Amino acid sequence: MSDVTSFLLCNARLVDGTSPTPRENVSVLIENDRITQVSESAIEAPNATRLDLAGRTLMPGLIDCHVHVVATTADLGANAQLPDSLITARSTRIMRDMLMRGFTTVRDVGGADRGLQQAVAEGYFEGPEVVICGKALSQTGGHTDYRGFYDERDDQYQTRRLGSLGRICDGVDTVRRATREEIKSGAQFIKVMANGGVSSPSDPIDFLSYSVGELEAIVEEASNAQTYVSAHLYTDEAIRRAVLAGIRSLEHCNLITLETARLAAEKGAMACPTLVTYEMLKQEGAQYGLKPDSVAKVDDVRLAGLESLKIMREAGLTMAYGSDLLGEMHRHQSEEFVIRTRVLPPHEVIRSATLDAARLLCREGDIGCIAAGARADLIVVDGNPLEDMSLLTGQGAHIPLIMQAGRLIKHQLQ
Ligand SMILES: [Zn+2]
């Protein structure tokens, strides 16, 4: 007997987003946490636990490149004031639910710290692998400055609060130091708020945030640390400025023009649209704590969403999957698949949460694919998502099997 834990999945229909048609009759061998063989002919593995998928769809574990696991309510200012203990407790449930929807990796773009990441890795609760940036950097009055007009609290009040998505820093030297502090604390990339936002009180959507000099300093510090910068962006002017400053991961991008999308593609940047959050903020935001000022701003970006996807596709700008949901609205995480399929080919929508997401995370070949050498993160779907994307919604109801790093998280194959 070998002491390797191995599984042989056979008779799978493989859908990974790289082709408009599935690969049929695929067998996959998993040994410990890795995929070791993928073949259309039989694989010999007498010691492996055999799971016959009977023509069900096998997919790589999904990757969501824009989440905030500490956003336990849509009122982000209030969230930032909650005790760390409560935020931790609530975020464990948020993360567990993400995994049970089939997301085996998420990129947290503001808020989560290395402690939460390590707690998942150490197995204290079930959750996706969390890729972190620490706190997002925001200028005074920017997208994570929740103080509003008459609140004169010191600008450092939120830096060390787990429930805050960001921290405030201004000036080239200070943003350099903040970038270095986040990297020192375990950030794997840097997030910067470079445009106005919906959920903050004093920054209309068209506000440009940070000077070009500050953005370039942040990019330089991140690239010195061998990583990249992600920026919160809506307007075309803000996106163009960010691309020219060397920012690689362009979040939201609702108001992008074709010309800027082409420039971004040429510079090797990628976009991460998050349409579902605007749909849900519109429908449910007020009910779950979004302030009236913020509700009024939602349509400034929501209405341009689908058009932006068409523009980015035409420009050849790669789009990764993002959801950006807050509080109770996290349960809509998988609905971004359905929304995007209104204007994009289904396999490209899937690819945004597999191969393209892995590229954005600089993890190609490791996650987001079913190939020898990749981590054994995978899901099994009843039916074919290329024909019906709603199979990925419903809190995992149509996902009878979830495997994370070779470990069965959910196993309800009949
Ligand atoms: Zn966000």
Side-chain angles (χ1 to χ4, degrees), residues 66 68 109 191 252 324:
H66 194 125
H68 300 281
V109 283
K191 171 77 179 296
H252 318 302
D324 199 19

Coordinates of all heavy atoms in Angstrom, one line a residue, residues 66 68 109 191 252 324, ligand 1:
H66 N -12.0 39.5 -7.3 CA -12.4 40.7 -6.6 C -13.4 40.5 -5.5 O -14.6 40.5 -5.7 CB -12.9 41.8 -7.6 CG -12.9 43.2 -7.0 ND1 -12.3 44.3 -7.6 CD2 -13.5 43.7 -5.9 CE1 -12.5 45.3 -6.8 NE2 -13.3 45.0 -5.8
H68 N -14.1 41.0 -1.0 CA -13.7 41.6 0.3 C -14.3 40.7 1.4 O -15.5 40.9 1.8 CB -14.3 43.0 0.4 CG -13.9 44.0 -0.6 ND1 -12.6 44.6 -0.7 CD2 -14.5 44.4 -1.8 CE1 -12.5 45.3 -1.7 NE2 -13.6 45.2 -2.4
V109 N -9.3 42.1 -2.4 CA -8.8 43.4 -2.9 C -9.0 44.5 -1.9 O -9.2 45.7 -2.2 CB -9.3 43.8 -4.3 CG1 -8.7 43.0 -5.4 CG2 -10.8 43.6 -4.3
K191 N -3.2 47.3 -3.6 CA -4.5 47.8 -4.1 C -4.5 49.3 -3.9 O -4.2 49.7 -2.7 CB -5.7 47.2 -3.5 CG -7.0 47.8 -3.7 CD -7.6 47.4 -5.1 CE -8.9 48.0 -5.4 NZ -10.0 47.6 -4.5
H252 N -13.2 47.0 -12.0 CA -14.5 47.6 -12.4 C -14.5 48.1 -13.9 O -15.1 47.5 -14.7 CB -14.9 48.8 -11.5 CG -14.7 48.5 -10.1 ND1 -15.2 47.4 -9.4 CD2 -13.9 49.1 -9.1 CE1 -14.8 47.4 -8.2 NE2 -14.0 48.4 -8.0
D324 N -17.1 41.5 -6.0 CA -17.1 42.8 -5.2 C -18.3 42.9 -4.3 O -18.8 44.1 -4.1 CB -16.9 44.0 -6.1 CG -16.5 45.2 -5.4 OD1 -15.9 45.1 -4.2 OD2 -16.6 46.3 -5.9
Ligands
ZN1 ZN -14.0 46.3 -4.3

